[in-house]
Every structure is written in C-alpha cells, then in structure tokens.
C-alpha cells in the first residue's frame, strides 16, 4: 500500500496570507507596507481590534474561492500523487461558509484529487496518515504520524517540528 | 485520554432511508407498500432506472436538512459524550450540496457536538478513532479500530462485523 500524506490547505497549498495582505493593503489607511507584512505576521503587527477586523473576512462567502495557489504546490502535489496517496485535510469546520469555496477551489486547481481524498474537519488528531504537512504547530502536536511544518510567518520561530520552507523542499524530502 | 468514537450520519443518527421511503411513496405510482419497503432495501426492490431516479434526490440542496433523527440517537450520543470523545464522520464529499444541510442539521439536533468534532470526508480509512459506528461494511472494512455495524436493511445479511441493531444496543455495548 502507498504511504499516505495529508496536506493542509491554508498557507500550505493556498497562499491565504497573501490574500489577507491584499485585503489589508486595500483597506483604510494601512499602517504597514508590503515589505513589513512580508517580515512579520499580522498577529505581531496588528492590535487586537485591527486583527479581528481583518480576520472577519474569512466568514464571507467567496473569501476562500480566489486565493492564489502557493508557489510550486500544483507541480509537487501532482508528483507526490504518483508515489503516495494524497489527502487534503483542511480545518473548514470553523468556517461553514468556506465549504463550497474550498471544494470548488480544489476542483479547479487540483482536479486530480478525488473527492474521496478531501477531508473537512476541525481536529486533525483523528487522522492516521503517515505524513501531515501543515503550517499550524498545534495540528502537528497531536498528529500520530510524521509532521512537517510548512513555513509561514506565524510559525517561523517554532523549533519543535521538521520544517519545510517551500514546495521544493517538500519534493526534496519526499520524492 | 478518553476513548474516541466516530459516528456516521446517514442511516445511523439520521434516518435517511425513511426519507427515501417518504419520497418514494409520494412519487408516481409506487410499486411497493410501506410494509414491503420496511422488509427489503431499495437496492433489492427497485430496478436500476427506478433506483437512480430515487437516489438522484440526494443531490438536491435541502435533502439532508429535514431528515428525521434515528430513534434513540440523541439520548445515547449525549450519554456517550460523557464518557468518550465523540466525532461525527460523514461521507459528505460525494454530495457537495449536502455540506450546509448536514452542518445545520447537526447544529440543530446535536448542539453539544462542537464543530471541531465534525468530519466531512470521503474515505473513512483515514480515521484513527477507537470505534467507528457505521452502516456501510466497506467503511468498517478499512477501519483500523473496532467497527460496529449499525443495522440497516441494506446490510442485514452482512456477517463480518459486530452488529448493533439500534441505539439501545449501542448504549448496552459502550456504556
């Protein structure tokens, strides 16, 4: 049997942080420049009220539909599928409005991934795949297989997990 | 840590077959009576064309929203939650129109189940819970924990799995 990889969506195959950056910079009087936003996470830069205002966008239908694909994700995921069984596991349950957007986004950008291999869930500790590629340390913490931390601004100081900085590094490690 | 139970929705906590019976009997010139429909599954009774026509209803938005709760499910699931961590794991990916219906149905009838514990997926072999209560033998076949086959007309001849005939029997076994 092929080994199995579960792959997160937001900030792993989908460049969700870039969408937040676009929204922020197009908002009213942004206090930070694109350069600053590429160096620190919104959690570090914004005050609580600003952060909540920005984050509220995820509850809007359509938010997840037009997010850019993370660089290299399409090519490497397609190559991984030749050697592994690939599942997309996304914590969509927190945002019920995201279900259709996420499903359609995957159908458009990753048409080779069968619906059988898509998982919308809340708590990734129920997964028993061999690998999990995720940007959230808390998801890797409870995962029973080998976790790979996909680098994002918000996790750049985390040292507890094997790190992959981009999709080329995923390919180097798993292919 | 509490043991974990994954519980299927259709024909386990939701009486989906009863909804099909209602639709069938309200359709054009049904060939079978309610008594016959309670003895054999639609797969056995209908020809392929009739079955496909009936089954097509699942793709309609709203189909999964007003399904009756399976007898005893609410009470026993709530009692199970005192002793176990309970997840609802439903193969919603086959029917993308069902996402909102299923989510709202759970929120209405099982409000104590947190969104973190809801899983929409296709292939249940990725679950690593201790138990899976499901009416589909193929889901139990690939499950790594202890599977319990929840009796439905379509699985009544199946002998490969431990069987629970109703929610009282689930309580008897797990509580």
């Amino acid at each position: 049997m092929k080994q199995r990889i579960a792959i997160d969506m937001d900030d792993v195959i989908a460049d969700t942080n870039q969408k937040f950056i676009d929204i922020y910079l197009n908002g009213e009087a942004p206090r930070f420049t694109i350069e600053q936003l590429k160096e620190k996470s919104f959690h570090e830069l914004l005050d609580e009220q600003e952060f909540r205002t920005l984050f509220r966008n995820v509850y809007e239908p359509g938010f997840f539909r037009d997010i850019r694909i993370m660089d290299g994700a399409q090519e490497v995921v397609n190559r991984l599928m030749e050697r592994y069984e690939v599942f997309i596991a996304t914590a969509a349950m927190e945002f019920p409005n995201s279900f259709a957007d996420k499903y359609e986004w995957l159908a458009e950008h990753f048409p080779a991934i069968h619906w059988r291999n898509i998982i919308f869930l809340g708590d990734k500790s129920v997964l028993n795949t061999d690998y999990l590629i995720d940007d959230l340390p808390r998801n890797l913490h409870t995962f029973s297989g080998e976790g790979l931390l996909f680098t994002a601004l918000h996790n750049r100081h985390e040292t507890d997990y094997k790190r992959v900085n981009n999709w080329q590094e995923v390919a180097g490690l798993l292919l």
Side-chain angles (χ1 to χ4, degrees), chain A:
Chain A
M1 199 171 96
K2 281 178 176 178
Q3 281 199 300
R4 306 173 128 205
I5 305 179
I7 302 175
D8 180 35
M9 279 182 82
D10 293 306
D11 291 326
V12 176
I13 60 171
D15 196 350
T16 312
N17 192 59
Q18 182 61 49
K19 171 115 185 202
F20 280 119
I21 289 177
D22 295 342
I23 291 172
Y24 178 78
L25 291 176
N26 285 305
E28 283 175 38
R31 292 197 289 128
F32 301 99
T33 64
I34 179 76
E35 290 72 27
Q36 290 171 305
L37 297 171
K38 294 274 185 185
E39 273 182 13
K40 288 190 174 179
S41 71
F42 281 112
H43 257 298
E44 295 164 283
L45 293 171
L46 302 187
D47 65 34
E48 205 186 307
Q49 180 56 44
E50 289 173 316
F51 186 83
R52 246 190 278 145
T53 302
L54 179 63
F55 195 72
R56 206 181 291 141
N57 285 285
V58 301
Y59 296 99
E60 294 297 318
F63 176 86
F64 290 96
R65 185 61 186 87
D66 63 354
I67 291 177
R68 276 195 243 164
I69 306 161
M70 192 69 84
D71 284 343
Q74 269 177 323
E75 186 215 326
V76 176
V77 168
N78 283 327
R79 286 169 59 203
L80 287 172
M81 288 177 74
E82 294 167 16
R83 194 180 306 182
Y84 299 87
E85 188 165 12
V86 170
F87 293 86
I88 302 297
T90 176
M93 285 302 149
E94 194 172 354
F95 316 111
N97 274 330
S98 75
F99 296 156
D101 289 339
K102 282 174 174 272
Y103 192 88
E104 288 167 17
W105 191 92
L106 285 169
E108 180 185 351
H109 300 300
F110 292 85
I113 294 174
H114 195 277
W115 57 258
R116 279 195 189 84
N117 290 40
I118 300 173
I119 309 164
F120 291 174
L121 74 178
D123 174 353
K124 295 190 185 177
S125 72
V126 297
L127 296 175
N128 70 2
T129 53
D130 298 288
Y131 295 92
L132 172 61
I133 306 176
D134 207 295
D135 65 308
L136 286 180
R138 69 163 182 270
N139 289 333
L140 301 180
H141 180 68
T142 57
F143 179 62
S144 55
E146 181 169 351
L148 298 175
L149 184 68
F150 198 91
T151 294
L153 283 172
H154 67 79
N155 70 32
R156 68 191 190 283
H157 300 305
E158 180 65 50
T159 56
D160 285 353
Y161 304 97
K162 191 183 285 189
R163 181 181 289 279
V164 280
N165 286 305
N166 51 53
W167 278 97
Q168 285 64 45
E169 287 193 18
V170 175
L173 203 66
L174 296 175
L175 290 171

